[in-house]
Amino acid sequence: MHGDHGWRIRLADAALAAVVGAVGMLAAAIGESASPLDHALIAVGSLALAAHRSAPRGVLAVTTVCLLAYVWHAGPAATAALPVVAAVHTAGRTGHRAVAAAAGAVFLGGYLAAGGASGDAARETALLAGWFLCAVVTGVADKNWQAYLRQTEQRALEAERTREEAALRRAGEERLRIARELHDSLTHSISIVKLQAGVAVHLARKRGEEVPPALLAIQEAGGEAMRELRATLDVLRTDEPTGTPAVLVERARAGGLAVDLTVAGHERPLAATVDRAAYRIVQEALTNAARHAGPAKVTVQLDYGEGDLTIRVEDDGTADPSRPPAEGIGLTGMRERVTALGGTLHAAPRAEGGFSVRARLPLEAA
């Protein structure tokens, strides 16, 4: 899309240069005194305007020289100043005010000298001086206007960033509120259930009775629920990583999971948002592998590219491509993190068996 826009701009510049040249050549043809050399000078000086965006000073020099040579060869003509006025305007718009004013003064001096000391030449030169002054002033005004538009766009982007930061701050406050609410309600209730189950088990054993399996299951489930709830509350209280992917791999190994970590590319510090997302992706992938892959070998690979970080976590476990698992809360949260940073995520069973998580995070997402 950007290339199409640039192509249209270049086409418009070429069309404008052609129109200016056509006007000058038509005026020269009406005068019936122009030679092929004069037409060539008008054509070269006018068509050079097509390159005014890439080389404004070069275009100004070529146009001024060609049209001044035309004036000296064919005599003064007000229409000959049109390409030079356009070149002076574009040079002033790109910040070359002194060069633009100097080129205008040179052309006016040559125009006056070519007309001799006649009053008509002096009046025409004075009129053209007004044109050139307007060209310089409008060029500078256009440059200032473009700078103002860029500053306005920057301020709008800054305001949007500030709104996003405020939204993140409110989200953090809401997480803390939810954590407090869960702690006050659920942990108390689960603790009572676990305590009552423990008392019942203790009394049954004290009386020498057989402990019902359901009661033992309740006691174990209560303890597991408390651990899961504490982990959930920790996540709600803070969204910051508590280590690095290497630490996660060491923890997984200590927990009995066979994990290998490889790092490719030039490892370097990451922006906070990218670093946090990478940590959570590896954490969730290793958690899923420990829970669902069975006795499997897991590989974690971090590939630092020029503009992105690629994360691969793959296992050779029991996942079957013909029966893809439903995407749970963990994978959904992982996908949301990657999407928020403008990256891509692929999480699915591998064709050769096992599960694969591949995420690409742009490093400029910060």
Side-chain angles (χ1 to χ4, degrees), residues 15 22 45 103 111 114-115 123 139 155 178 183 195 223 230 232 324 326 338:
Y111 191 93
R123 284 192 296 271
R155 286 195 294 268
I178 294 172
H183 182 273
L195 178 61
R230 289 192 185 100
T232 302
V338 173

Side-chain angles (χ1 to χ4, degrees), residues 285-335:
L286 289 178
T287 301
N288 289 341
R291 289 179 177 176
H292 308 298
K297 183 176 181 180
V298 184
T299 60
V300 178
Q301 180 177 351
L302 304 178
D303 187 358
Y304 290 81
E306 290 295 329
D308 55 32
L309 170 66
T310 302
I311 304 169
R312 294 183 178 87
V313 183
E314 298 178 339
D315 64 70
D316 56 0
T318 58
D320 187 350
S322 63
R323 295 191 303 273
E327 187 167 302
I329 295 176
L331 284 178
T332 300
M334 187 189 304
R335 192 175 302 279

Side-chain angles (χ1 to χ4, degrees), residues 9-356:
I9 290 178
R10 289 191 294 271
L11 183 60
D13 291 341
L16 177 62
V19 169
V20 172
V23 170
M25 295 180 70
L26 180 61
I30 292 175
E32 298 181 354
S33 60
S35 65
L37 175 61
D38 297 327
H39 286 290
L41 291 172
I42 295 173
V44 172
S46 301
L47 295 179
L49 293 172
H52 72 88
R53 296 183 189 274
S54 58
R57 287 181 295 184
V59 168
L60 179 63
V62 171
T63 302
T64 302
V65 170
C66 288
L67 273 301
L68 190 57
Y70 165 74
V71 167
W72 273 86
H73 186 262
T79 54
L82 182 59
V84 185
V85 169
V88 166
H89 171 80
T90 56
R93 188 177 61 185
T94 53
H96 306 294
R97 291 175 296 180
V99 176
V106 169
F107 181 84
L108 290 173
Y111 191 93
L112 180 62
S118 64
D120 291 339
R123 284 192 296 271
E124 287 184 2
T125 303
L127 179 61
L128 292 178
W131 288 11
F132 280 102
L133 179 62
C134 289
V136 174
V137 171
T138 55
V140 173
D142 189 20
K143 177 179 180 293
N144 294 336
W145 174 250
Q146 294 298 329
Y148 170 76
L149 291 180
R150 286 192 295 271
Q151 292 175 358
T152 302
E153 183 179 359
Q154 286 297 113
R155 286 195 294 268
L157 292 175
E158 180 66 19
E160 182 179 356
R161 186 184 64 82
T162 303
R163 286 195 299 269
E164 290 176 354
E165 290 178 350
L168 289 175
R169 184 173 62 253
R170 289 193 297 269
E173 294 170 353
E174 183 66 14
R175 283 198 303 270
L176 291 176
R177 187 189 67 80
I178 294 172
R180 288 192 296 267
E181 293 291 338
L182 288 175
H183 182 273
D184 293 342
S185 58
L186 294 182
T187 55
H188 177 73
S189 300
I190 294 174
S191 296
I192 294 298
V193 171
K194 184 175 181 293
L195 178 61
Q196 290 177 342
V199 171
V201 169
H202 174 72
L203 292 176
R205 287 173 176 168
K206 187 176 181 180
R207 292 193 297 264
E209 301 174 355
E210 183 181 355
V211 180
L215 198 57
L216 293 174
I218 292 173
Q219 186 182 31
E220 183 180 354
E224 180 65 23
M226 287 294 293
R227 287 190 293 272
E228 291 287 342
L229 185 57
R230 289 192 185 100
T232 302
L233 293 178
D234 288 340
V235 173
L236 287 171
R237 288 191 179 101
T238 177
D239 196 36
E240 293 298 323
T242 55
T244 64
V247 173
L248 291 173
V249 169
E250 289 300 323
R251 290 177 185 170
R253 287 173 182 164
L257 189 65
V259 189
D260 287 334
L261 173 65
T262 59
V263 179
H266 175 58
E267 186 175 3
R268 54 196 181 275
L270 303 175
T273 52
V274 180
D275 187 52
R276 182 163 55 244
Y279 180 90
R280 295 303 187 197
I281 289 169
V282 174
Q283 183 183 48
E284 180 63 27
L286 289 178
T287 301
N288 289 341
R291 289 179 177 176
H292 308 298
K297 183 176 181 180
V298 184
T299 60
V300 178
Q301 180 177 351
L302 304 178
D303 187 358
Y304 290 81
E306 290 295 329
D308 55 32
L309 170 66
T310 302
I311 304 169
R312 294 183 178 87
V313 183
E314 298 178 339
D315 64 70
D316 56 0
T318 58
D320 187 350
S322 63
R323 295 191 303 273
E327 187 167 302
I329 295 176
L331 284 178
T332 300
M334 187 189 304
R335 192 175 302 279
E336 289 174 351
R337 287 180 182 276
V338 173
T339 302
L341 295 177
T344 58
L345 175 72
H346 175 76
R350 301 192 304 167
E352 61 272 26
F355 201 81
S356 172

